[in-house]
């Protein structure tokens, strides 16, 4: 309550709208989506998550040796995530819930960084939070069982590392952060091999 009392009216309204948007991010996650309007189709989930569901239910990801579509090689992080979080009785809801959490976690981290970058400004943090949550592409990806939410959280963590390098004044601290950057870059490639362009740009940002 002390935190809320210190906020201006516009900041309180920003938090209220953010809370309403967060509710929509998790509301009826197992329902059909209109994300196709943005080129994101629910049918895209099936090719990536079916192999994990097969492994959970039957012990093998593929029934036919001739099956050349192998998501466990294309998007290994999403496949491993699905093995741990998809429940056989309701795979759609459980699969999407964890990914929505990752999207919201990435949003929260970026908003926190925005506030820190502007001298601990709550106003900037709330503005960043609201702007990210209202993004329609992020909203629909967060409600789809695809690898983009994993990538988004990893990119948010990579921004945090860059911010830490910007503030670091000691070699040991900078070396640890560079190690974390290398680990995150590797995980980003495991999330989706096409993220290699992001990794190149991130390496340039560190240098």
């Amino acid at each position: 309550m002390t935190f809320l009392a210190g906020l201006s009216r516009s900041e309180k309204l920003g938090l209220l709208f953010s809370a309403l948007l967060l509710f929509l991010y998790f509301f009826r996650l197992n329902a059909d989506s209109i994300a196709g309007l943005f080129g994101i189709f629910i049918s895209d989930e099936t090719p990536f998550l079916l192999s994990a569901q097969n492994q959970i239910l039957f012990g093998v990801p593929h029934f036919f040796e001739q099956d050349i579509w192998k998501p466990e090689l294309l998007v290994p992080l999403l496949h491993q995530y699905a093995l741990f979080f998809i429940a056989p009785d309701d795979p759609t809801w459980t699969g999407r819930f964890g990914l929505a959490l990752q999207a919201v976690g990435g949003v929260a981290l970026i908003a926190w960084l925005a506030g820190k970058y502007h001298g601990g400004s709550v106003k900037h943090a709330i503005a960043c939070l609201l702007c990210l949550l209202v993004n329609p592409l992020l909203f629909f990806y967060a409600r789809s069982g695809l690898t983009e939410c994993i990538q988004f959280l990893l990119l948010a963590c990579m921004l945090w590392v860059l911010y830490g390098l910007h503030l670091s004044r000691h070699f040991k601290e900078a070396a640890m952060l560079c190690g974390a950057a290398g680990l995150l870059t590797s995980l980003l490639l495991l999330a989706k091999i096409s993220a290699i362009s992001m990794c190149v740009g991130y390496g340039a940002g560190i240098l």
Side-chain angles (χ1 to χ4, degrees):
M1 294 302 293
T2 306
F3 171 74
L4 291 176
L7 298 180
S8 66
R9 184 178 179 181
S10 61
E11 290 169 345
K12 290 177 181 177
L13 285 173
L15 277 181
L16 176 61
F17 284 125
S18 297
L20 291 174
L21 287 168
L22 282 173
F23 170 75
L24 293 177
Y25 268 67
F26 293 95
F27 178 68
R28 294 190 63 197
L29 275 174
N30 57 349
D32 290 337
S33 172
I34 60 170
L37 295 174
F38 296 89
I40 309 165
F41 297 98
I42 299 307
S43 59
D44 291 347
E45 293 176 286
T46 305
F48 288 104
L49 298 180
L50 183 60
S51 60
Q53 190 175 356
N54 286 341
Q55 190 164 336
I56 292 170
L57 294 175
F58 309 110
V60 290
H62 305 282
F63 294 112
F64 306 101
E65 293 183 3
Q66 294 81 5
D67 191 355
I68 60 173
W69 178 258
K70 297 186 177 181
E72 64 272 21
L73 302 179
L74 295 171
V75 283
L77 274 187
L78 179 65
H79 183 78
Q80 293 301 319
Y81 157 82
L83 291 179
F84 281 99
F85 289 96
I86 284 184
D89 56 338
D90 194 354
T92 302
W93 190 91
T94 52
R96 292 176 180 174
F97 179 75
L99 293 169
L101 279 179
Q102 292 181 59
V104 170
V107 167
L109 179 55
I110 293 174
W112 177 78
L113 286 172
K116 292 286 288 184
Y117 185 77
H118 289 89
S121 170
V122 175
K123 178 174 66 176
H124 285 87
I126 294 174
C128 181
L129 180 69
L130 188 57
C131 287
L132 287 173
L133 288 176
V134 82
N135 186 306
L137 283 178
L138 180 63
F139 175 76
F140 287 119
Y141 270 122
R143 294 177 58 86
S144 303
L146 298 171
T147 189
E148 277 71 17
C149 288
I150 299 175
Q151 290 178 273
F152 183 73
L153 178 60
L154 288 172
L155 286 170
C157 294
M158 292 163 84
L159 283 176
W160 173 76
V161 170
L162 279 180
Y163 181 71
L165 283 171
H166 173 69
L167 296 179
S168 63
R169 295 292 181 268
H170 303 287
F171 175 78
K172 185 177 180 180
E173 181 183 0
M176 291 176 63
L177 288 170
C178 285
L183 175 62
L184 289 169
T185 303
S186 302
L187 289 174
L188 188 61
L189 285 173
L190 289 174
K192 200 170 187 179
I193 191 64
S194 60
I196 188 169
S197 58
M198 301 181 195
C199 297
V200 172
Y202 185 62
I206 291 177
L207 294 176

